[in-house]
Amino acid sequence: MKNLDEILNMAKNVQEELEKAQANLDTIEVEGVSGGGLVKVKASAKGRIIGVSIDDSLLNVSEKQMLEDLVAAAFNDARAKADAASSAEMSKMTSGLPLPPGFKLPF
């Protein structure tokens, strides 16, 4: 059995690696699209919305509801891609950690 100091050092290292991974998530960008690319939303893998792009052709649309639906769809697409990127990054980080089977981190 490992002594207490080794266990505490391992826990400290895990915490530091998790903090680095979380900070890195905000640098990964994904783009959600809807309407065949007419509406685009850029987000970080942490879920922060970076920008919204709406094609000029939609600004002449008389139906406001359609534009709102397209923006919502693009946000949802960006969020799904951000979640996938976040999961992939966290999996890479935790693959080298000696975690018990089935252990889930709070991210």
Side-chain angles (χ1 to χ4, degrees):
M1 178 96 190
K2 295 181 179 183
N3 69 38
L4 185 58
D5 287 336
E6 289 175 336
I7 292 171
L8 291 174
N9 281 337
M10 186 167 41
K12 182 182 176 189
N13 289 339
V14 168
Q15 182 179 5
E16 289 171 357
E17 290 299 316
L18 287 173
E19 288 172 3
K20 287 179 192 174
Q22 282 290 309
N24 186 44
L25 292 179
D26 209 36
T27 65
I28 298 170
E29 291 185 12
V30 295
E31 183 176 74
V33 297
S34 68
L38 295 175
V39 176
K40 298 177 183 177
V41 175
K42 281 190 179 181
S44 73
K46 227 175 173 177
R48 182 176 57 88
I49 302 303
I50 298 166
V52 176
S53 172
I54 300 173
D55 189 272
D56 289 340
S57 67
L58 291 175
L59 299 177
N60 296 325
V61 175
S62 60
E63 290 191 33
K64 179 182 171 201
Q65 184 65 44
M66 183 174 91
L67 180 56
E68 291 170 344
D69 290 345
L70 288 170
V71 171
F75 270 108
N76 289 331
D77 188 41
R79 182 69 228 175
K81 289 176 181 175
D83 288 344
S86 176
S87 293
E89 281 297 304
M90 294 307 291
S91 292
K92 282 195 282 186
M93 195 282 305
T94 59
S95 66
L97 298 176
L99 299 174
F103 184 81
K104 299 284 185 198
L105 293 172
F107 306 106

